[in-house]
Amino acid sequence: MERGPLKCLFVSSEVAPFAKTGGLADVIGALPKKLREQGIDARVVMPYYSKMQNQFFDHDSHFLTSYDVYLGWRVQGVGIYYDDTIMPTYFLKSDTYFSRPELYGYQDDYERFAFFCKGVLEMLRHIDFIPDIIHCNDWQTGPLCLLLKEMYSKDTFFSKIKTVYTIHNMKYQGLFGKEALNVLDLGNDYMTPEKIEYHGAVSYMKAGLLYSDKITTVSPTYAEEIKTCEYGCGLDRLLGDKLYYKIQGILNGIDYEVYNPQNDPYIYKNYTWRSIKRKQENKSKFQEEYGLEQKDSMLIGIVSRITDQKGFDLMKDTIEDMWVMDEIMQMDVQFVILGTGEKEYEDMFKHFAYKYPKRSNIFLTFNEPLAQKIYAASDVFLMPSLFEPCGLGQLIAMRYGTVPIVRKTGGLKDTVIHYNMQTKEGTGFEFEECSGYWMYKKIEEAYTYYKEYPDHFKQIQLNGMKKGFAWDDAAKKYYEMYSTMI
Ligand code: GLC
């Protein structure tokens, strides 16, 4: 019998442009689209957060169906909405769970996402789409793999469905109290180290790792790193000794249509690698608009979640009694940062902005157009992450001819090549050791190129711009993997 196209349902707690706190949303906003171009019937399902209400489509006209979801002794109704203007997407609506100002961070998160996982499996009985593969992402969707394997697959309706579980970040594991077993209808026998217990907690991440058919993570280097105690966040033995056979690293891409300096509507002046001279105008207009001195200082940009993962502690290391950040500011540089996150780091950057007016700017918010302006205006892009599963910022930076300075870890290691003056190869600057001193040294090296060897600096920019990090390669690899599973 001729089988139709491979069918894949992406399950994610955030999807761009609908709801986003980090790179996960960008991935799910882009990868399924690419897979569709390659002939897969890829669709997406996510919660319907109240803040999306009628923002992207008039939701009343997109109502599909409703049904009940059973969570232990609780019964909760859910409404399914569907829209395919951007890509075929199902939205699970429950005011009880998703009518809140934020996406996560509530004491009943275990119940909210247990509901989401069960709700998605139940949805399949009500819609006209039975996937071959359910592709889960991060802890919020871990229990789905368990529920499918241990319960739903006993029903022939579900028995052929396979699951992929992608780790976008090992650090967030979804650890909860025993009440989580209750809402998932699991007995105490699941509370063992061989199953989903983790230091006395119920681990949603473990549910995904153990009960999925394949595990992927978002770069080949990170796929190796998570098997080590430095990066494994306590799950390294499980991954390295037991689950290694089903782990694969597939590098993320970025959306080359959205991030394109040639026709980006948000930047001051469009350019390509052939007309890279025009990039300069983006810098001077940016300086003008945001009150920075109008001069040819090297502009250092950061667009990031402001969390400890991103290595901002290195700014406060000292070199001869001076903070690394102050040491950096001794050079003719300017500094701009955009993002939100932990107060400690936000305060640190506020302090620097106060100390270096006209040479630095901080925007403690997230704003896509401004982000793109920063990518286009900056000369170098700083990403000193302690760990980085893939990282999207460095890819966008290279696309905009902005030279990345990164710590050699995870996806940063897989995508940035240290520049070699002799061979003229390389796309940026890398340091290995997690120290402010080495970060400083690499910024200084970039600065020397910028000021004294402009031809080489341009070469690095061009090398980065000509690199291909579009989604096509990744989509092909996922396609191959799915094909081996069905
Ligand atoms: C997480 C990771 C980041 C990765 C993104 C998308 O945000 O921290 O490195 O690029 O997920 O996979």
Side-chain angles (χ1 to χ4, degrees):
M1 199 177 72
E2 175 78 23
R3 65 181 317 269
L6 198 145
K7 296 202 262 323
C8 180
L9 181 65
F10 279 82
V11 187
S12 178
S13 57
E14 48 184 275
V15 182
F18 305 111
K20 167 169 166 174
T21 69
L24 166 63
D26 294 315
V27 172
I28 312 304
L31 174 60
K33 274 197 231 156
K34 267 288 159 221
L35 288 166
R36 292 186 71 79
E37 281 170 32
Q38 300 189 0
I40 293 190
D41 186 356
R43 305 187 188 190
V44 176
V45 57
M46 67 176 290
Y48 191 119
Y49 298 105
S50 54
K51 55 174 156 192
M52 292 160 33
Q53 187 94 5
N54 290 338
Q55 210 189 325
F56 297 92
F57 53 90
D58 158 26
H59 86 263
D60 285 338
S61 61
H62 288 72
F63 175 76
L64 217 56
T65 176
S66 66
Y67 50 88
D68 285 337
V69 177
Y70 293 81
L71 301 167
W73 51 268
R74 264 160 258 190
V75 188
Q76 296 284 359
V78 60
I80 300 294
Y81 294 79
Y82 175 79
D83 182 71
D84 64 0
T85 26
I86 299 176
M87 66 188 142
T89 311
Y90 300 91
F91 300 89
L92 258 78
K93 187 159 189 287
S94 154
D95 289 339
T96 316
Y97 294 122
F98 301 124
S99 234
R100 309 202 184 169
E102 303 301 327
L103 269 54
Y104 326 112
Y106 298 99
Q107 45 90 13
D108 61 345
D109 276 355
Y110 71 92
E111 186 175 325
R112 299 170 70 221
F113 290 100
F115 168 82
F116 179 53
C117 290
K118 266 203 171 167
V120 170
L121 288 168
E122 290 297 330
M123 176 181 85
L124 301 178
R125 302 186 201 266
H126 298 265
I127 59 169
D128 189 19
F129 182 72
I130 305 173
D132 301 297
I133 309 275
I134 298 183
H135 192 143
C136 293
N137 296 276
D138 277 353
W139 68 262
Q140 294 86 346
T141 60
L144 189 152
C145 303
L146 184 154
L147 293 170
L148 180 65
K149 185 132 287 167
E150 298 284 277
M151 293 161 200
Y152 283 76
S153 68
K154 298 195 175 96
D155 180 339
T156 50
F157 182 83
F158 291 95
S159 60
K160 290 210 179 70
I161 304 176
K162 296 286 193 306
T163 52
V164 175
Y165 181 74
T166 296
I167 308 165
H168 295 263
N169 197 330
M170 279 302 285
K171 197 172 164 198
Y172 305 105
Q173 302 190 354
L175 300 178
F176 302 108
K178 272 188 162 181
E179 33 321 342
L181 291 179
N182 225 308
V183 291
L184 290 166
D185 283 312
L186 299 174
N188 268 330
D189 51 323
Y190 279 89
M191 230 13 212
T192 65
E194 292 70 38
K195 296 194 171 171
I196 61 171
E197 187 266 356
Y198 179 81
H199 295 291
V202 174
S203 165
Y204 278 19
M205 168 79 82
K206 267 181 96 176
L209 298 174
L210 285 165
Y211 296 94
S212 55
D213 296 299
K214 275 264 182 200
I215 299 171
T216 69
T217 185
V218 290
S219 70
T221 293
Y222 195 61
E224 291 310 312
E225 286 175 341
I226 54 176
K227 297 175 201 152
T228 66
C229 111
E230 191 184 348
Y231 293 98
C233 302
L235 295 174
D236 39 292
R237 297 279 301 276
L238 174 69
L239 293 163
D241 298 349
K242 270 201 177 156
L243 304 178
Y244 60 88
Y245 68 94
K246 62 172 182 180
I247 306 178
Q248 191 178 341
I250 301 179
L251 196 64
N252 285 336
I254 50 168
D255 194 323
Y256 264 38
E257 276 141 46
V258 177
Y259 300 110
N260 185 358
Q262 187 170 8
N263 52 28
D264 185 332
Y266 299 125
I267 67 178
Y268 301 98
K269 186 89 192 171
N270 290 114
Y271 58 97
T272 66
W273 65 268
R274 284 198 184 82
S275 56
I276 190 167
K277 261 200 149 151
R278 294 196 204 143
K279 180 172 161 62
Q280 176 59 33
E281 272 181 60
N282 284 287
K283 177 158 116 186
S284 43
K285 289 260 166 53
F286 183 85
Q287 289 172 322
E288 192 184 319
E289 183 170 351
Y290 294 102
L292 295 170
E293 274 169 343
Q294 296 262 317
K295 55 191 283 228
D296 190 30
S297 310
M298 180 173 88
L299 180 59
I300 305 173
I302 295 183
V303 177
S304 176
R305 280 183 291 119
I306 305 182
T307 62
D308 62 341
Q309 172 192 343
K310 302 296 176 176
F312 298 130
D313 279 319
L314 301 189
M315 303 277 182
K316 287 190 292 180
D317 277 2
T318 50
I319 303 175
E320 289 169 8
D321 289 337
M322 209 151 126
W323 274 4
V324 165
M325 181 67 182
D326 291 315
E327 196 77 51
I328 295 168
M329 295 309 281
Q330 301 304 306
M331 297 182 268
D332 177 18
V333 298
Q334 295 179 348
F335 190 83
V336 51
I337 173 162
L338 169 72
T340 57
E342 291 159 21
K343 186 167 182 307
E344 177 192 346
Y345 300 108
E346 293 195 352
D347 286 347
M348 176 183 83
F349 285 117
K350 276 188 205 157
H351 165 79
F352 290 131
Y354 171 77
K355 193 162 175 188
Y356 301 103
K358 296 199 181 304
R359 295 181 59 204
S360 62
N361 235 322
I362 56 163
F363 303 95
L364 298 176
T365 151
F366 195 78
N367 172 332
E368 206 82 51
L370 182 55
Q372 275 160 250
K373 274 186 188 170
I374 294 175
Y375 283 114
S378 306
D379 297 299
V380 297
F381 188 80
L382 184 61
M383 223 168 148
S385 309
L386 303 182
F387 68 93
E388 197 59 77
C390 176
L392 303 172
Q394 83 279 18
L395 304 180
I396 304 171
M398 286 188 271
R399 176 87 167 137
Y400 282 76
T402 304
V403 174
I405 303 174
V406 304
R407 197 170 92 77
K408 200 171 177 182
T409 181
L412 296 172
K413 180 171 169 189
D414 291 337
T415 54
V416 177
I417 306 162
H418 198 84
Y419 186 66
N420 179 327
M421 204 174 189
Q422 265 72 47
T423 62
K424 298 195 175 154
E425 283 166 344
T427 52
F429 298 92
E430 289 183 298
F431 60 101
E432 192 141 9
E433 210 178 303
C434 217
S435 92
Y437 174 78
W438 282 107
M439 176 176 79
Y440 170 77
K441 284 310 254 182
K442 291 299 141 180
I443 295 174
E444 192 186 37
E445 193 174 331
Y447 181 76
T448 309
Y449 277 106
Y450 181 77
K451 289 284 184 186
E452 289 167 33
Y453 306 100
D455 289 346
H456 282 284
F457 193 84
K458 185 171 162 202
Q459 185 67 48
I460 308 172
Q461 293 178 299
L462 297 182
N463 291 349
M465 290 185 89
K466 289 181 193 170
K467 277 257 167 195
F469 292 110
W471 269 107
D472 305 67
D473 283 352
K476 258 186 225 134
K477 292 196 175 118
Y478 281 109
Y479 198 159
E480 274 163 30
M481 181 183 73
Y482 298 151
S483 308
T484 63
M485 294 173 68
I486 57 168

